[in-house]
Amino acid sequence: MKDRKTKIVYLEILRVIAIFGVLFCHTGYHGAHHYVMAENPLNYWLGMFLVSVMQYCIPLFFMISGALLLKREESLTYVLKHRVVKMLIVIFFVVFMQYVWNYHKDPTIGFDLKTYFRLVYEGSAVSQHWFLYTYTSFLLVLPFLQKLVKSIQKKSWFLYLFLAYQFSTGILPIIEYYQGWKASKFEIPLFADCIVLSFLGYYIAHCSEDFFYKGENVAVLFLICIFAVGETMYMNHLALPETQLASFGELFCALYALFLFVLVRYICYWWRMPGFVEKLFRFAGAGVFGTYLAEGILRDCLEPIYIALNTKIYSYPATFVWVFACVVVGVLVSNLIKRIPLVGKLI
């Protein structure tokens, strides 16, 4: 195959896609769970589709991290000093920011240092920030993972690990559901999301060679995703009367993240985008982390957009506009904050 340089911009595009998914998944009954109250069949089944696929976001972030970080060789001292410490500072900062915001909305909750440090320890200032704690734990073992992936000579082992992971997290729950069985106690230590998915991102970005640059392989993966989406939608529909909310949205989220990763990489490999478009995605990608840190505040502040549009257009289009506005504002503010010395380096 003709040698072409795969532009790293595809990772920036994936960041934007991932943050859009994060914000959508946290819209509650205004979006992600609107299917519960949808009277229109079209809205209901669109909701079933979205709740079945939109949780690709966190797996996609892990894959991006693997593609970027596992190819490096960093000492434990360097990782602890330059990565872990930075993430700990971010956690303290974002919990304080959220605590102040919660106090602003409801002064009765009080404000004291003891509560603040408890929120930092528990990660309970806002539940969506659990990713920061998981990512920090990933960084703590990053030097070991960087050496491990380079020692794996057989590239098929990466796929074996992912397929075994997907069987455990996707196929087995389906079997358990239809058979009425409880979840098995069988566990495999390497099946932590941050490890398997980061390995997968590293494999696709650096070890898969021409496999995912072939259109037929991308098409086969797309067909597999269609089947997985259909099964997940059906299960969510059947279980909804008992569970109140769809409970099978995570079954194949890693598979959908894999497809998005491969598809965007494939497009960027074969299509040379205009320079201004590339710069736009790089600018947007640079503001994604800051957008994630403030996504709860952004949703609260821009919720009037949804309220105003919901009475004029269908609920889901109103939700998409709301989420898109949050991403745009978050990216702009984040890139502005990046210009502030010291603080800007955190995001």
Side-chain angles (χ1 to χ4, degrees):
M1 180 177 291
K2 184 179 179 179
D3 183 26
R4 296 189 181 187
K5 183 179 179 181
T6 305
K7 293 185 177 181
I8 201 70
V9 70
Y10 80 88
L11 293 177
E12 306 300 337
I13 297 173
L14 289 170
R15 281 195 177 103
V16 175
I17 294 174
I19 195 61
F20 189 93
V22 168
L23 281 157
F24 177 85
C25 287
H26 297 155
T27 52
Y29 291 103
H30 283 349
H33 302 311
H34 176 69
Y35 55 85
V36 174
M37 59 189 73
E39 298 179 358
N40 186 323
L42 178 62
N43 269 357
Y44 174 79
W45 285 108
L46 177 59
M48 285 291 100
F49 170 78
L50 292 172
V51 78
S52 298
V53 302
M54 291 298 283
Q55 294 189 55
Y56 66 79
C57 45
I58 295 301
L60 198 53
F61 275 130
F62 283 134
M63 291 176 65
I64 295 169
S65 296
L68 289 173
L69 297 180
L70 293 184
K71 67 177 181 179
R72 305 181 183 185
E73 292 187 12
E74 299 170 336
S75 67
L76 182 59
T77 302
Y78 177 87
V79 171
L80 291 175
K81 182 178 179 181
H82 295 279
R83 298 195 184 279
V84 175
V85 170
K86 175 183 175 180
M87 286 306 302
L88 292 176
I89 294 173
V90 167
I91 289 173
F92 274 90
F93 172 76
V94 76
V95 170
F96 178 78
M97 180 176 66
Q98 189 65 46
Y99 191 16
V100 171
W101 179 253
N102 292 341
Y103 177 77
H104 168 72
K105 293 194 298 181
D106 181 15
T108 61
I109 65 173
F111 191 94
D112 62 85
L113 284 178
K114 183 178 180 181
T115 301
Y116 165 68
F117 284 111
R118 177 179 62 81
L119 292 175
V120 170
Y121 178 78
E122 296 177 349
S124 55
V126 56
S127 60
Q128 296 92 322
H129 287 157
W130 64 267
F131 175 79
L132 297 176
Y133 293 80
T134 302
Y135 186 69
T136 303
S137 67
F138 167 72
L139 293 177
L140 287 171
V141 295
L142 178 60
F144 303 96
L145 299 179
Q146 288 172 336
K147 292 184 179 298
L148 178 58
V149 295
K150 293 176 179 63
S151 68
I152 298 177
Q153 300 300 317
K154 294 184 178 180
K155 298 172 183 177
S156 60
W157 287 10
F158 288 103
L159 287 181
Y160 164 76
L161 181 62
F162 174 71
L163 291 174
Y165 166 83
Q166 191 62 84
F167 178 82
S168 174
T169 59
I171 304 300
L172 280 183
I174 292 177
I175 296 174
E176 292 163 357
Y177 174 75
Y178 285 115
Q179 295 298 324
W181 297 345
K182 293 183 179 180
S184 172
K185 301 298 182 183
F186 186 71
E187 296 181 357
I188 300 179
L190 278 177
F191 277 12
D193 293 345
C194 58
I195 294 179
V196 174
L197 297 171
S198 65
F199 277 19
L200 183 63
Y202 170 82
Y203 164 76
I204 296 173
H206 306 293
C207 302
S208 60
E209 297 173 341
D210 292 341
F211 184 78
F212 289 118
Y213 289 140
K214 297 177 180 178
E216 57 269 29
N217 294 332
V218 179
V220 169
L221 185 57
F222 175 65
L223 293 176
I224 294 173
C225 287
I226 289 178
F227 176 80
V229 170
E231 175 60 29
T232 307
M233 289 174 64
Y234 179 67
M235 291 177 62
N236 279 327
H237 173 66
L238 290 181
L240 191 59
E242 295 182 6
T243 58
Q244 303 301 316
L245 294 176
S247 54
F248 297 103
E250 297 182 0
L251 291 186
F252 296 107
C253 60
L255 178 64
Y256 308 141
L258 168 62
F259 172 69
L260 288 171
F261 196 103
V262 168
L263 178 64
V264 173
R265 183 171 177 261
Y266 174 83
I267 293 173
C268 289
Y269 183 80
W270 290 108
W271 176 60
R272 189 176 298 278
M273 66 179 63
F276 78 93
V277 176
E278 182 176 334
K279 290 181 180 179
L280 180 63
F281 278 117
R282 290 185 184 278
F283 178 82
V288 162
F289 185 54
T291 302
Y292 168 75
L293 295 180
E295 58 107 2
I297 298 174
L298 288 169
R299 280 185 288 105
D300 288 345
C301 291
L302 299 178
E303 188 177 17
I305 293 177
Y306 171 83
I307 295 174
L309 292 177
N310 188 39
T311 58
K312 299 178 181 179
I313 59 178
Y314 287 115
S315 177
Y316 283 111
T319 302
F320 294 149
V321 173
W322 176 29
V323 171
F324 180 77
C326 290
V327 172
V328 170
V329 173
V331 166
L332 292 175
V333 173
S334 297
N335 278 286
L336 183 62
I337 294 176
K338 278 180 172 290
R339 298 179 178 274
I340 302 175
L342 298 180
V343 177
K345 292 183 178 181
L346 296 177
I347 62 173

